[in-house]
């Protein structure tokens, strides 16, 4: 075991020597040369080399002790190539006693490294980016210890300071190679929240520059850490209070979860350990964050990856408290109506910005279920995520367009595009104002057909849209959303309280709760889920509900308790056969009996329905209709199963059209059966919220729709301009044509008849 890797004093001595070199004279290159020499000596390694990232994702040998000097600035490896490239690609350390037998080993004759058998390397990380790789090599088959790997990672942090200084490689080299420059750019990402915004860019620069990596006095650093943790926790408590004042909603729960992270002792303990190894408090926070990031980036579980963002947000906050410059110091300087560009962002950070005239957000990371997306929805901020290199391609003050609807970002758009977008934003504002005026006007066609419009909801906040839109009630409450941002399945009391709040907020309007539809793309972090080849056709929805009835029972118990003396509406997702419905209904009856036994006030009545999403059910409609109180068609799933077409695959997005003979024939059949049986029918899939599709549905006989709040205005406008009888006759004429799509015919019809579809 080496001295440096084996004892705290050894490590501290090494860190001090490196600090002295960093603070000493000479060019960056000279200091790097000295650093690799000291590391090799202290770690008893024959070789120590530093590879630094250059433009085009190439790692260049910048300094070495032990390899041939002529290889310096000549040996280059692409990210992913050779062991050095693998360390850079994975951002994780690697230690191999017999490196040459590793499948990724890439031999470079100019280095003379064939005589060295073992290799240990660590990524040089800065703010989550890999700036290079630090490697030691030994002639013998040496088994590096965990402690030695730790030490190398710590040293890599010091080298990161040098690499990030811009003195080794001109930072512009990397930016320019990525097509930066000042040309207009269109970057594509993933929609995290809809909407359109334009404004000047503000680069979210969360990182505090760490000036000192090695500590003089570990005890003093520990005291600083303790103080900063205390003030940070107090500030977060305040944030929780503010979020409460802004209004209840899931964003609030998100912030509460975040507070739990801040209270996590394990996290602070790991930072304290890093301080004891010789780092300053700031460097220790950075190290723990880098370690966690490297570990968690490997996780495929999206939930875990999102928690990482919360942790990074927290680490950044702690850095600001350590620096004595709490976040927000520069907020007065933010330009009005700005677009924020960030690598990643936690929910609390966005909450802070949400109160400060932010118009749009662009992230290099993030997924639609991320906490930050939930906060964005609560504040109606358009967000595009997974935009590669957004932060390095934008400069502060650049005009940026965030087009959430089309998941794209325009950077430095030309003047005419700016004008067009500004006009579109204004037109949207005007349209919104117009739709608001429709709130109280009846939803009736020109020939008197009354169409009931309901909202799809998943958050408490969505329920507040009832008043704003004038909708009749909630036609689909997706109960899984609030449960996805938690760490455990809530106790019945908590669930009851939540459903009660939903019902209270709906003010006597009906709310149709759909029982948990997890599985597929919706994952509960606390429910173990196997990797499935076809998750949307896998163990999801009612299948889980019946196989693991504890959750379904708890949910139904809470719903029953939340609706005393009211009509409770419940529907089950993904029912594929009548017997599944029978079993699910039996659970409702059981819970009702239990509530009665416990002497609780029962709902006035319970209406139980089914989501029609699986085609097999179409051949059991008469039997189903005898049993159910209502039927809701979920076209999102029905369409994907009918055409065997993954609803989430962008390559298939436009492949099949719901406005085509097969889908329309299915829906006609559903109308016929439910009418004959007197079963109320509604449609809550995305088709309902699209005016031209809703027009076709009305022609088929649908009279109830449930949709996103933003669709109510456009659909109501279409309804009020429509003659339902006339369009029904037209569809009778063309509906069975085996065309790929009837959309253009229906659009032409709408144009000719002045229907606003
Ligand atoms: C549907 O499948 O159409 C539906 C409304 O359910 P979800 O989109 O939640 O799967
Ligand atoms: Mg569905």
């Amino acid at each position: 075991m080496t001295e440096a890797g084996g004892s705290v004093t050894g490590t501290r001595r090494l860190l001090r020597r490196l600090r002295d070199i960093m603070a000493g004279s000479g060019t960056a290159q000279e200091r790097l040369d000295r650093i690799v020499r000291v590391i090799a000596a202290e770690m008893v390694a024959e070789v120590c080399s530093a590879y630094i990232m250059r433009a085009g994702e190439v790692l260049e040998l910048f300094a070495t002790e032990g390899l041939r000097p002529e290889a310096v600035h000549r040996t280059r490896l692409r990210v992913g190539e050779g062991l050095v490239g693998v360390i850079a690609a994975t951002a994780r350390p690697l230690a191999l006693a017999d490196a040459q037998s590793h499948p990724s080993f890439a031999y470079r004759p100019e280095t003379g490294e064939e005589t060295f058998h073992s290799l240990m390397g660590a990524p040089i990380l800065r703010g989550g980016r890999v700036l290079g790789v630090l490697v030691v090599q030994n002639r013998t088959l040496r088994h590096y210890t965990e402690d030695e790997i730790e030490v190398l990672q710590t040293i890599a942090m010091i080298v990161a300071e040098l690499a990030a200084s811009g003195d080794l490689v001109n930072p512009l080299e990397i930016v320019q190679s990525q097509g930066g420059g000042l040309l207009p750019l269109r970057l594509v990402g993933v929609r995290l929240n809809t909407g359109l915004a334009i404004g000047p860019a503000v680069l979210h620069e969360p990182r505090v520059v760490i000036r000192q990596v090695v500590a003089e006095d570990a005890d003093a650093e520990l005291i600083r850490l303790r103080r900063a943790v205390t003030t940070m926790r107090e500030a977060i408590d305040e944030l929780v209070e503010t979020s409460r004042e802004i209004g209840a909603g899931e964003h609030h729960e998100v912030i509460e979860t975040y507070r739990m992270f801040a209270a996590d002792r394990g996290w602070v303990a790991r930072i304290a350990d890093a301080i004891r190894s010789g780092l300053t408090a700031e460097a220790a926070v950075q190290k723990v964050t880098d370690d966690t990031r490297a570990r968690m980036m490997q996780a495929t579980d999206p939930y875990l990856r999102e928690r990482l963002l919360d942790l990074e947000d927290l680490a950044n906050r702690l850095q600001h408290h350590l620096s004595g410059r709490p976040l927000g110091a520069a907020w007065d300087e933010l330009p009005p109506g700005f677009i924020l560009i960030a690598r990643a962002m936690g929910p609390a950070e966005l909450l802070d910005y949400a109160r400060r005239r932010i118009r749009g957000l662009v992230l290099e990371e993030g997924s639609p279920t991320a906490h930050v997306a939930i906060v964005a929805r609560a504040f109606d901020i358009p967000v595009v995520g997974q935009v590669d290199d957004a932060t390095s391609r934008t400069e502060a003050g650049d005009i940026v367009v965030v087009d959430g609807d089309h998941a794209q970002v325009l950077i430095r758009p030309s003047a005419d595009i700016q004008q067009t977008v500004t006009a579109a934003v204004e037109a949207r504002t005007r349209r919104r104002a117009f739709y608001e005026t429709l709130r109280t006007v009846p939803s009736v066609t020109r020939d008197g057909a009354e169409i009931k419009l309901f909202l799809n909801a998943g958050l408490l906040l969505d329920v507040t849209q009832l008043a704003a839109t004038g909708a009749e009630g909630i036609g689909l409450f997706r109960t899984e959303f609030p449960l996805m941002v938690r760490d455990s399945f809530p106790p019945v009391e908590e669930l009851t309280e939540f459903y009660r709040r939903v019902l209270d907020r709906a003010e006597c309007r009906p709310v149709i709760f759909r029982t948990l539809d997890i599985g597929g793309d919706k994952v509960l972090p606390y429910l173990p889920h196997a990797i499935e080849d076809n998750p949307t056709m896998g163990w999801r929805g009612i299948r889980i509900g019946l196989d693991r009835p504890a959750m379904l029972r708890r949910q139904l118990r809470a719903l029953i308790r939340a609706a005393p003396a009211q009509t409770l509406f419940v529907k089950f997702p993904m029912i594929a056969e009548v017997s599944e419905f029978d079993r699910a209904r039996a659970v409702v009856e059981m819970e009702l009996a239990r509530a009665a036994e416990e002497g609780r006030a029962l709902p006035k009545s319970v209406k139980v329905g089914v989501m029609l999403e699986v085609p097999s059910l179409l051949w059991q409609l008469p039997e189903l209709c005898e049993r159910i109180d209502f039927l809701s068609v979920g076209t999102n799933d029905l369409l994907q199963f009918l055409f065997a077409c993954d609803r989430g695959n962008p390559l298939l997005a436009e492949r099949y059209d719901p406005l085509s003979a097969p889908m329309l024939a299915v829906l006609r059949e559903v109308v016929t059966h439910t009418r004959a049986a007197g079963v109320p029918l509604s449609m809550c899939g995305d088709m309902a919220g699209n005016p031209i599709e809703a027009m076709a549905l009305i022609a088929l006989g649908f009279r109830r729709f449930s949709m996103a709040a933003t669709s109510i205005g456009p659909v109501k406008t279409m309804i009020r301009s429509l003659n339902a009888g006339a369009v029904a006759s037209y569809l009778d004429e063309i509906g069975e044509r085996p065309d790929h799509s009837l959309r253009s015919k229906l659009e032409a019809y709408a144009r000719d008849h002045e229907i606003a579809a």
Side-chain angles (χ1 to χ4, degrees):
M1 182 171 286
T2 64
E3 243 188 299
S7 71
V8 170
T9 36
T11 309
R12 281 202 195 158
R13 197 189 57 217
L14 169 57
L15 292 181
R16 292 231 167 92
R17 286 191 66 186
L18 296 177
R19 179 200 57 191
D20 292 345
I21 296 172
M22 289 285 285
S25 59
T27 63
Q29 177 70 54
E30 285 161 356
R31 277 179 283 159
L32 189 61
D33 291 340
R34 261 179 257 147
I35 285 174
V36 293
R37 273 204 299 279
V38 169
I39 298 171
E42 291 277 344
M43 297 200 77
V44 198
E46 279 93 24
V47 174
C48 175
S49 313
Y51 293 81
I52 303 293
M53 188 77 80
R54 302 218 59 154
E57 302 250 284
V58 168
L59 293 148
E60 179 176 309
L61 179 65
F62 253 70
T64 185
E65 170 70 12
L67 296 183
R68 291 197 190 121
E70 56 269 30
V72 171
H73 298 303
R74 268 187 62 204
T75 295
R76 291 176 158 211
L77 293 152
R78 283 190 307 280
V79 170
E81 184 191 10
L83 295 172
V84 169
V86 166
I87 293 166
T90 56
R92 304 200 71 182
L94 195 63
L96 299 166
D98 184 7
Q100 297 183 12
S101 65
H102 191 283
S104 294
F105 182 80
Y107 175 54
R108 288 283 190 269
E110 72 275 11
T111 61
E113 65 181 330
E114 63 276 17
T115 55
F116 303 105
H117 287 284
S118 44
L119 175 146
M120 167 169 70
I124 299 170
L125 291 169
R126 185 72 193 269
R129 284 186 205 283
V130 177
L131 301 184
V133 174
L134 190 63
V135 174
V136 295
Q137 288 173 277
N138 280 79
R139 220 164 244 130
T140 54
L141 290 180
R142 176 166 160 189
H143 292 272
Y144 300 99
T145 64
E146 284 289 319
D147 285 345
E148 287 170 329
I149 299 172
E150 278 272 316
V151 170
L152 193 67
Q153 284 180 280
T154 306
I155 298 169
M157 288 185 63
I158 298 180
V159 180
E161 294 303 301
L162 203 55
S165 67
D167 297 336
L168 287 171
V169 175
N170 183 345
L172 279 181
E173 173 184 311
I174 308 252
V175 175
Q176 280 162 359
S177 76
Q178 290 167 341
L182 292 171
L183 298 170
L185 279 176
R186 175 178 167 271
L187 304 177
V188 178
V190 167
R191 177 172 75 194
L192 302 197
N193 194 31
T194 53
L196 182 69
I198 181 167
V202 167
L203 291 174
H204 175 61
E205 190 29 276
R207 252 151 269 292
V208 172
V209 178
I210 302 173
R211 304 201 183 279
Q212 208 183 338
V213 175
V214 184
E216 299 291 339
D217 176 355
D219 290 336
E221 292 302 303
L222 286 169
I223 292 171
R224 287 182 62 229
L225 173 69
R226 212 171 310 129
R227 286 206 187 115
V229 168
T230 309
T231 54
M232 177 189 75
R233 286 183 183 155
E234 284 166 5
I236 291 175
D237 287 345
E238 258 177 51
L239 199 62
V240 171
E241 278 314 304
T242 326
S243 92
R244 213 191 296 278
E245 282 161 24
I246 288 174
E250 266 56 37
H251 66 281
H252 186 68
E253 251 185 53
V254 164
I255 301 298
E256 284 281 9
T257 316
Y258 179 84
R259 170 150 68 176
M260 256 168 44
F261 271 116
D264 184 272
R265 279 173 204 219
W267 181 61
V268 179
R270 282 170 55 215
I271 300 171
D273 280 348
I275 291 179
R276 284 188 202 100
S277 80
L279 296 179
T280 57
E282 285 89 347
V285 174
Q286 179 71 52
K287 175 171 188 301
V288 170
T289 313
D290 285 344
D291 287 354
T292 315
R293 164 169 260 272
R295 259 187 304 115
M296 285 170 78
M297 286 313 280
Q298 312 295 312
T300 45
D301 184 339
Y303 182 81
L304 262 188
R305 293 176 70 127
E306 280 152 23
R307 296 299 68 74
L308 173 66
L309 298 186
D310 290 6
L311 259 184
E312 293 199 341
D313 179 336
L314 207 55
N316 173 49
R317 238 157 241 274
L318 187 52
Q319 294 286 28
H320 278 89
H321 283 278
L322 278 169
S323 72
R325 289 188 302 114
L327 276 167
W331 269 328
D332 293 343
E333 294 150 30
L334 289 174
F338 61 95
I339 306 286
L340 193 64
I341 319 280
R343 185 175 60 74
M345 177 156 291
E349 275 171 306
L350 183 59
L351 192 62
D352 275 334
Y353 281 110
R355 292 141 55 199
R356 290 176 175 81
R357 299 169 295 178
I358 182 175
R359 264 198 205 140
L361 175 64
V362 180
L363 297 174
E364 291 181 357
E365 298 183 1
S367 74
T369 51
H371 284 171
V372 70
I374 292 174
V375 173
R377 267 195 277 163
F379 291 92
D380 198 15
I381 301 165
V383 188
V384 180
Q386 295 178 30
V387 181
D388 286 344
D389 303 316
T391 53
S392 55
R393 291 170 166 208
T394 318
E395 291 188 13
D398 280 351
I399 294 298
V400 174
V401 173
V402 183
D403 180 357
D405 300 345
H406 302 101
Q408 62 174 352
V409 177
L410 310 178
I411 297 169
R412 299 176 288 272
S414 60
D416 50 339
I417 290 186
Q418 287 187 35
Q419 258 175 19
T420 313
V421 173
T422 307
V425 170
E426 283 165 9
R428 254 169 206 255
T429 314
R430 277 197 304 276
R431 258 202 317 274
R432 262 194 204 183
F434 167 68
Y435 292 144
E436 266 170 36
T437 65
L438 291 185
R439 189 160 46 104
T440 48
V441 303
S443 171
V444 180
T445 62
R446 279 177 27 218
D447 54 339
E450 218 181 294
I451 315 291
K452 299 232 179 277
L453 301 182
F454 293 78
L455 289 186
N456 287 353
L459 305 173
L460 254 185
L461 202 87
D462 298 332
V463 185
T464 51
Q465 295 295 317
L466 279 172
T469 54
E472 308 265 343
I474 306 287
L476 167 65
F477 194 96
R478 292 181 165 104
T479 58
E480 57 278 1
F481 279 5
L483 300 181
M484 283 162 64
V485 297
R486 303 182 50 110
D487 287 333
S488 60
F489 195 83
V492 175
E493 294 69 30
E494 221 175 283
L495 266 185
T496 308
E497 180 52 30
F498 178 73
Y499 296 143
R500 193 172 288 144
R501 275 159 63 198
V502 172
L503 289 169
D504 283 352
R505 209 165 278 198
E507 296 173 335
C508 299
R509 297 184 193 89
V511 178
I512 303 182
F513 291 95
R514 178 177 74 184
T515 61
L516 273 181
D517 184 14
I518 42 175
D521 59 336
K522 300 171 211 151
V523 175
L524 290 188
Y526 37 91
L527 182 73
H529 61 284
I531 303 291
E532 298 179 277
D533 282 347
N534 287 306
T536 51
M537 292 200 282
W539 198 52
R540 62 171 282 205
I542 199 65
R543 300 167 186 184
I544 299 181
L546 294 176
D547 293 351
R548 291 270 184 95
M551 272 194 309
L552 180 62
R553 275 209 299 265
R554 272 207 242 172
Q555 191 178 24
L556 289 168
R557 199 171 304 160
L559 286 167
I560 288 168
R561 289 187 194 174
Q566 300 178 42
T567 303
L568 173 65
F569 295 89
V570 178
K571 62 181 167 186
F572 300 114
M574 289 295 291
I575 294 276
E577 54 180 22
V578 166
S579 71
E580 278 175 343
F581 172 74
D582 288 341
R583 287 169 62 202
R585 177 155 210 154
V587 183
V588 179
E589 299 302 339
M590 214 168 72
E591 287 304 326
L592 276 171
R594 178 188 166 126
E597 255 169 49
E598 289 172 351
R600 294 180 191 277
L602 297 180
K604 185 166 70 188
S605 69
V606 181
K607 304 278 184 209
V608 187
V610 158
M611 294 278 293
L612 174 57
E613 297 168 292
V614 185
S616 58
L617 213 46
L618 293 167
W619 284 269
Q620 294 194 298
L621 281 177
E623 296 79 4
L624 184 72
C625 286
E626 282 169 19
R627 291 164 162 83
I628 56 178
D629 296 316
F630 60 93
L631 186 69
S632 300
V633 185
T635 41
N636 307 343
D637 277 314
L638 187 59
L639 191 77
Q640 78 163 342
F641 296 133
L642 199 65
F643 284 98
C645 175
D646 183 345
R647 74 192 245 188
N649 186 337
L651 293 176
L652 299 171
E654 314 248 310
R655 180 100 195 178
Y656 304 105
D657 198 329
L659 291 181
S660 60
M663 189 70 177
L664 295 179
V666 162
L667 295 173
R668 201 184 278 279
E669 188 82 0
V670 175
V671 172
T672 308
H673 279 289
T674 46
R675 249 193 214 157
V679 169
L681 171 68
S682 68
M683 155 87 63
C684 60
D686 287 352
M687 250 186 117
N690 179 313
I692 192 82
E693 293 170 17
M695 179 185 93
L697 292 168
I698 292 172
L700 290 173
F702 277 83
R703 291 295 179 265
R704 280 165 185 261
F705 299 118
S706 191
M707 62 194 73
T710 45
S711 297
I712 295 271
V715 170
K716 202 189 244 189
T717 310
M718 178 278 292
I719 289 170
R720 291 174 58 79
S721 60
L722 179 74
N723 184 322
V727 73
S729 312
Y730 179 65
L731 196 63
D732 283 346
E733 260 172 50
I734 63 157
E736 283 169 23
R737 292 173 67 120
D739 299 9
H740 161 68
S741 166
L742 301 175
R743 187 173 296 270
S744 52
K745 290 204 163 45
L746 287 164
E747 281 170 350
Y749 178 91
R751 263 196 312 277
D752 292 349
H753 295 79
E754 293 181 356
I755 300 164

